[in-house]
Amino acid sequence: MDLLKGKVVLITGASRGIGRAMAQKFVQEGASLAFTYLSSVEKGQALEEELRAFGGQVKGYRSDASDYKAAEELIGQVVADFGRIDVLVNNAGITKDGLLMRMTEEQWDTVITVNLKSVFNLTKAVIKPMMKAKSGSIINLTSVVGIRGNAGQANYAASKAGIIGFTKSVALELGSRNIRSNAIAPGFIETEMTGEINEKAVEEWKQQIPLKRGGQPEEVADCAVFLASDLSRYITGQVLQVDGGMLT
Ligand code: NAP
């Protein structure tokens, strides 16, 4: 369909799950693709090889999104390799769940740093090249948990709610520069992140979802293609829920 033909896209955390599905869809839609991974080195390298078979420019980088300096260096390297960045997808994220009563300072700090500070790091570094190009689309992965809260995930919910405030502020600051900033809020998507949850709880959740099933990473990726493409050129500052109606 070539919805992203000619666009350079950078995705953080594409070695697995939703990031990986987005990387595949973006390349199928004609994008040139830069992506990162951190601990899943083999999976990252295998993805690079797989996507190069489509014939376009693809490069994987091992980079920690939560590290300010590393993010700055990454953006510089991607611009050097690809010439520019049209779309940034802040996808890298983790969970370290526990009831607040038992949550450690380390669980709090790690989740806030990896999920929220990473979005600041990458966005701060990418706005210069986007301002120079006079266009850009920034897509941040939040969660329905960031809208509604979730018992046992105070750290994760706070990081994802923070992303929503950040997304809207960036939309207000940079709209006049033709840089759009939107968030995607997935509900329950079947990946390694949700694979840790016990089966009984998962079944109960599914019954509460109007579409009566969990979502697939590809279904989130379709929404990301839309926000990355010119089809969404008049949309900014929004949070699009991809949740089967879970939160209505
Ligand atoms: P996942 O399967 O656990 O994959 C997480 C990805 O993030 C991996 O590729 C991982 O790379 C990368 N990552 C983690 N820490 C990183 C860091 N410091 N620097 C760079 N990359 C890092 O998770 P997922 O389910 O696909 O979730 C993707 C995003 O969607 C997350 O932001 C998550 O919060 C959000 N989300 C997911 C769901 C869901 O139901 N699955 C729902 C709502 C929101 P390595 O393995 O190479 O370290």
Side-chain angles (χ1 to χ4, degrees), residues 7 28 37 77 105 122 130 134 138 140 143 164 170 177 185-186 213 218 221 238 247:
K7 291 198 191 289
Q28 284 162 18
Y37 50 89
Q77 195 54 54
E105 185 184 5
L122 272 297
M130 282 186 175
K134 296 191 173 64
I138 298 164
N140 299 321
S143 166
I164 294 174
V170 171
R177 308 294 186 118
R213 63 174 178 87
E218 294 71 25
Q238 302 306 305
L247 207 67

Side-chain angles (χ1 to χ4, degrees), residues 182-203:
N182 292 291
I184 298 175
F188 179 80
I189 309 298
E190 290 169 1
T191 68
E192 281 177 45
M193 184 177 273
T194 48
E196 292 166 14
I197 304 166
N198 81 63
E199 235 170 86
K200 194 166 163 272
V202 169
E203 272 319 306

Side-chain angles (χ1 to χ4, degrees), residues 60-128:
Y61 302 79
R62 188 169 189 205
S63 182
D64 183 351
S66 69
D67 180 327
Y68 182 81
K69 210 161 179 307
E72 225 175 26
E73 284 166 9
L74 171 74
I75 296 293
Q77 195 54 54
V78 174
V79 171
D81 293 340
F82 288 78
R84 61 176 201 285
I85 300 172
D86 299 301
V87 180
L88 167 67
V89 185
N90 284 307
N91 168 74
I94 56 164
T95 52
K96 279 188 184 287
D97 297 350
L99 293 173
L100 182 57
M101 227 163 60
R102 284 189 224 112
M103 187 174 288
T104 64
E105 185 184 5
E106 192 270 335
Q107 277 174 302
W108 173 268
D109 286 346
T110 309
V111 168
I112 296 294
T113 308
V114 174
N115 292 6
L116 181 58
K117 190 180 175 215
S118 64
V119 177
F120 163 75
N121 292 344
L122 272 297
T123 307
K124 175 93 174 30
V126 89
I127 57 176
K128 247 193 208 163

Side-chain angles (χ1 to χ4, degrees), residues 13 15-16 18 38-40 64-65 91 142 156 160 187 189 191 194:
S15 48
R16 298 182 280 119
I18 294 169
L38 186 58
S39 52
S40 311
D64 183 351
N91 168 74
T142 176
Y156 183 79
K160 294 298 181 183
I189 309 298
T191 68
T194 48

Side-chain angles (χ1 to χ4, degrees), residues 137-239:
S137 174
I138 298 164
I139 302 165
N140 299 321
L141 270 290
T142 176
S143 166
V144 291
V145 167
I147 300 171
R148 176 188 66 179
N150 197 21
Q153 289 196 308
N155 51 356
Y156 183 79
S159 74
K160 294 298 181 183
I163 287 175
I164 294 174
F166 182 85
T167 303
K168 289 176 184 257
S169 303
V170 171
L172 294 172
E173 283 188 29
L174 296 173
S176 62
R177 308 294 186 118
N178 196 31
I179 297 171
R180 300 185 292 112
S181 167
N182 292 291
I184 298 175
F188 179 80
I189 309 298
E190 290 169 1
T191 68
E192 281 177 45
M193 184 177 273
T194 48
E196 292 166 14
I197 304 166
N198 81 63
E199 235 170 86
K200 194 166 163 272
V202 169
E203 272 319 306
E204 279 170 17
W205 281 4
K206 283 183 183 169
Q207 283 321 304
Q208 287 164 24
I209 298 170
L211 291 182
K212 301 289 172 210
R213 63 174 178 87
Q216 295 306 310
E218 294 71 25
E219 293 172 318
V220 180
D222 282 337
C223 181
V225 167
F226 170 67
L227 289 175
S229 79
D230 294 339
L231 287 177
S232 60
R233 62 194 173 278
Y234 201 52
I235 298 176
T236 193
Q238 302 306 305
V239 182

Side-chain angles (χ1 to χ4, degrees), residues 35-58:
F35 70 89
T36 70
Y37 50 89
L38 186 58
S39 52
S40 311
V41 178
E42 274 175 29
K43 285 184 182 166
Q45 290 169 346
L47 181 67
E48 181 176 330
E49 206 168 303
E50 174 196 320
L51 296 181
R52 278 212 175 133
F54 285 84
Q57 192 180 355
V58 176

